[in-house]
Amino acid sequence: MVVTWRGRDHIGACLAALAAQTRAHEVLVLDNASDDGTAELISGQRVLRLPRNRGYAGGLAAALPQVKTPFVAWLNDDAAPEPGWLAALEDTLDADPRAAAAGGVLTDANGTISSAGVALTGDGYGMDLREPGETTFGFCGGSVLLRRGALVDAGGVPSGFFCYYEDTDTAWRLRLTGWRILLVAGARATHRLGASSRPGSWPFHRWNERNRLLTLLRCAPLLVALAQLTRFLAITVALPARRLRGVAVPDALNYTVGLRLLVFAEVIIRLPSTLVARFAIGRRGKVARSVVWRTWAGRVALPVEHPA
């Protein structure tokens, strides 16, 4: 599945790279109501067009019922996979029936890795790894192959996230249901980072912070989730006083009071439905939340400030 929104300038390269894959496949393009001429460029593809932009997560969720194959791939519309990308991912899942997802590696045009899977930090952030390793908790949603049945059984895609953390949340739920998640270092795709979104922007930080907290409330041990929600609010309340006292505050939009209050309000508004989802995730679970947390959280060293 390729989700696009105003992808006129880059989706052509993505589709050409998919056409060059060495493994047979079907392509489904989910068009999030593009209004820039994208619709004309993808007219020769199998397309599901939405009446409004539902984001990457919403697009994946809308397209999933249309997929009937055993495997389903997620691919950013600004990513161009190498010819052997799909074959490497599919062979990996075929070789390990306990694995529900095989993630690929995203690089920039110079070959520098931008994501080699996702690690889970000690405070519940999903952090892109820059080198393949055993600390891979989850996959980057821009390049991954999943078992469709496992994905559906784990609850599908969190459509309300709009974008960001839909991959970390999905990986977490798969681990809670007992599945393995693998990284395939040889499955590479060149990614135009920021072509479809604006990292560092207000919406970026809003979705990142909100969806991290929602993921914790859905998937993490309850005390961990409540501690992080409380910490988020405490930092928000303390920011004005810190600035008045001349205490250094990170120069990033996710440390502005207005954005943080909006995030907190959105989390509280979504709390009832989030707790319903938490209950459903718990009922499906085969591995205790505490076990997943102890096994994976904080296994990598982090800088003082997070990018999200």
Side-chain angles (χ1 to χ4, degrees):
M1 297 191 294
V2 178
V3 177
T4 189
W5 177 68
R6 297 179 179 174
R8 179 186 60 188
D9 294 337
H10 48 262
I11 194 171
C14 174
L15 295 176
L18 286 175
Q21 293 297 301
T22 59
R23 188 65 53 86
H25 62 281
E26 300 176 36
V27 177
L28 173 60
V29 181
L30 188 290
D31 184 8
N32 264 318
S34 298
D35 56 4
D36 66 338
T38 298
E40 288 75 18
L41 287 177
I42 61 177
S43 59
Q45 305 290 327
R46 180 187 173 196
V47 176
L48 176 60
R49 181 174 172 82
L50 298 183
R52 62 181 178 87
N53 183 8
R54 293 176 54 186
Y56 194 66
L60 290 172
L64 183 58
Q66 306 296 320
V67 177
K68 306 303 179 184
T69 52
F71 297 143
V72 55
W74 299 355
L75 184 67
N76 277 2
D77 67 344
D78 54 1
E82 295 178 354
W85 171 80
L86 183 58
L89 296 176
E90 189 173 9
D91 288 346
T92 298
L93 289 186
D94 280 336
D96 190 344
R98 298 174 300 163
V105 174
L106 291 175
T107 72
D108 64 16
N110 297 318
T112 301
I113 293 175
S114 56
S115 180
V118 171
L120 183 63
T121 74
D123 46 7
Y125 280 90
M127 185 186 75
D128 284 314
L129 294 167
R130 304 304 180 184
E131 293 292 338
E134 296 181 356
T135 55
T136 304
F137 168 73
F139 50 82
C140 174
S143 172
V144 63
L145 185 70
L146 302 107
R147 296 188 191 275
R148 184 186 60 82
L151 174 60
V152 171
D153 290 345
V157 186
S159 60
F161 280 23
F162 195 80
C163 62
Y164 302 119
Y165 276 85
E166 69 283 329
D167 47 8
T168 302
D169 182 278
T170 299
W172 206 323
R173 287 180 287 113
L174 288 170
R175 289 203 178 275
L176 287 171
T177 50
W179 288 99
R180 297 182 65 199
I181 294 168
L182 305 176
L183 177 78
V184 185
R188 298 203 166 207
T190 302
H191 183 220
R192 292 178 56 187
L193 184 63
S196 299
S197 62
R198 292 181 296 151
S201 65
W202 177 285
F204 171 86
H205 285 299
R206 170 196 170 194
W207 294 323
N208 251 355
E209 296 290 356
R210 182 194 69 189
N211 294 346
R212 174 184 74 100
L213 293 172
L214 291 175
T215 296
L216 287 168
L217 288 166
R218 286 160 53 93
C219 301
L222 185 59
L223 290 180
V224 171
L226 293 178
Q228 288 301 318
L229 185 61
T230 301
R231 180 173 179 265
F232 183 87
L233 181 60
I235 291 174
T236 303
V237 172
L239 281 173
R242 286 171 61 97
R243 290 191 170 96
L244 284 174
R245 296 199 311 269
V247 178
V249 173
D251 184 22
L253 284 175
N254 57 329
Y255 281 90
T256 58
V257 174
L259 184 143
R260 295 178 73 89
L261 287 176
L262 173 63
V263 165
F264 188 79
E266 288 186 322
V267 170
I268 296 303
I269 290 170
R270 288 165 172 77
L271 192 56
S273 61
T274 300
L275 293 179
V276 170
R278 178 183 179 85
F279 178 75
I281 291 166
R283 289 192 63 181
R284 289 190 295 264
K286 298 179 181 178
V287 181
R289 298 175 195 269
S290 58
V291 171
V292 173
W293 181 259
R294 288 197 307 267
T295 302
W296 293 101
R299 288 183 58 184
V300 293
L302 295 175
V304 176
E305 301 300 336
H306 300 301

